[in-house]
Amino acid sequence: MAELSNFANQLPAHQLVFPPKRLARCCSAVCKERWKKLFIMRIFLPLLALCAGCSPAGPDHSDANPAPTRAFSTQTEAPSPDYAALLGQPVAGGEGRTWEATSSLPPNAKAIGDLWIARLQERRALLGHRLAGKTPDGPVEMIDMGLTEQEFKAWVMENEWRVPGHIRWSFVPEMSRPPVSQAAQGAIRVWPASKTRTGIQLQALFYGKVVLRDGCFFVGFDGQPADKLAWFHSEMGLHVDPAGYFILRDRVSGRTLARLGEDMSWGGPASADIDTETEQALQDACGPGEVYIVGSPEARERFLTQYPHLREPMLPPLLSSTKK
């Protein structure tokens, strides 16, 4: 600081930049000395701060406390809940609506039906349809679609279409539950389910189980490892029950269908719409592997609770022999 003061003393008075009014009142040597020190602080302290910023940095401790790795859940076994009590609970959702035909078939009924079939196929919302008559080229008289009544009304209004009255329209019910509940969202990597609604399915019975391993869903048949990537119908949802187990539930009714890890059964071979984006996310998150459409599995215990007579298979009566 003494060297800086000597440097200031050597400067001409006009370079000290004293404020004129202050300088007029600054007559004593003490006053001028104070202004010299003020000048030194204003000029050289910023330079000292700049040099301090250029000094070598201390040790980097940014990795001393790395962010914890996200942990995903696993559930490969689970006891069956009280399905008798669960089946007695009220149903959350309703049933699908139907618009009955209100007019006879017009002369251009086939062209009208073909147009609506094409529209629904483009939207990936056609679940099925029925033709009038017994020939394969008859006009469409019934359409079963993967849209709710409200979704269909909004779609028609948006495009300013006229709904033909000679066709019977069938709608899917509203879903009352989300695909993955808030309680289960942080536990899984990807929810592997269709985005479009489910149509008519084959009903051959398959047995096995669906498990959750490190945030991924796998399915296996009875007596075989669960090593196939599971894919669900859009009406299936994931939730955590009051006991803390991950459950599969019906998104329409809200009812519990199975706990992950229980013995299950499902109808099949099941079919479903697998969109490319979700399938790619599934393969990236859970590793490459076969994707198996398990559809809408149900716990075997739940099924047997509804049909208790199936617990003990009935044997044919023994034929009594008579002596002659």
Side-chain angles (χ1 to χ4, degrees), residues 30 56-57 80 89 111 128 135 143 150 205-206 290 304 308 317:
V30 175
S80 297
Q89 294 178 350
T135 60
I143 292 179
Q150 294 303 318
L205 206 56
F206 292 85
E290 177 187 352
L304 293 174

Side-chain angles (χ1 to χ4, degrees), residues 5-259:
S5 179
N6 293 334
F7 173 77
N9 289 331
Q10 296 174 5
L11 291 175
H14 68 276
Q15 292 187 12
L16 293 179
V17 196
F18 295 141
K21 293 183 180 180
R22 293 276 186 176
L23 185 60
R25 295 196 299 266
C26 189
C27 300
S28 66
V30 175
C31 181
K32 291 181 179 180
E33 185 65 24
R34 288 178 180 175
W35 277 103
K36 286 182 180 180
K37 291 181 179 180
L38 178 61
F39 169 79
I40 293 171
M41 294 177 65
R42 291 180 60 184
I43 297 299
F44 292 100
L45 285 182
L47 296 177
L48 293 175
L50 180 62
C51 292
C54 298
S55 61
D60 184 7
H61 298 288
S62 59
D63 294 332
N65 297 306
T69 303
R70 181 178 177 182
F72 296 98
S73 296
T74 294
Q75 183 175 306
T76 58
E77 299 286 343
S80 297
D82 184 356
Y83 282 114
L86 292 174
L87 287 167
Q89 294 178 350
V91 175
E95 297 182 354
R97 298 289 302 276
T98 299
W99 292 354
E100 297 294 342
T102 58
S103 63
S104 58
L105 295 172
N108 61 340
K110 178 171 173 51
I112 294 175
D114 292 344
L115 174 62
W116 279 96
I117 293 297
R119 287 171 175 173
L120 288 164
Q121 286 177 334
E122 183 179 2
R123 180 159 176 164
R124 303 171 75 175
L126 180 66
L127 300 183
H129 66 283
R130 185 177 67 227
L131 303 179
K134 298 181 179 180
T135 60
D137 59 347
V140 174
E141 66 174 6
M142 187 277 289
I143 292 179
D144 184 13
M145 71 183 77
L147 299 175
T148 65
E149 182 182 24
Q150 294 303 318
E151 288 172 338
F152 181 69
K153 286 181 177 179
W155 185 42
V156 169
M157 185 177 298
E158 178 185 354
N159 291 278
E160 299 181 349
W161 291 331
R162 178 180 174 275
V163 180
H166 67 277
I167 296 177
R168 181 179 184 269
W169 304 87
S170 179
F171 309 100
V172 293
E174 299 276 355
M175 290 195 282
S176 63
R177 299 291 186 267
V180 179
S181 70
Q182 187 174 0
Q185 282 180 358
I188 65 172
R189 298 175 185 268
V190 178
W191 176 240
S194 298
K195 296 179 180 178
T196 57
R197 301 297 291 268
T198 306
I200 298 174
Q201 297 287 303
L202 297 174
Q203 293 300 319
L205 206 56
F206 292 85
Y207 296 97
K209 64 171 55 180
V210 179
V211 301
L212 178 65
R213 269 199 315 267
D214 193 24
C216 296
F217 298 87
F218 295 92
V219 58
F221 298 109
D222 266 358
Q224 299 181 19
D227 55 3
K228 299 177 178 62
L229 295 171
W231 188 274
F232 301 100
H233 287 153
S234 63
E235 292 79 9
M236 294 293 289
L238 182 70
H239 185 47
V240 180
D241 67 12
Y245 290 97
F246 291 98
I247 61 170
L248 298 174
R249 64 178 178 179
D250 188 327
R251 293 181 59 196
V252 176
S253 67
R255 285 184 167 177
T256 300
L257 297 180
R259 281 177 174 172

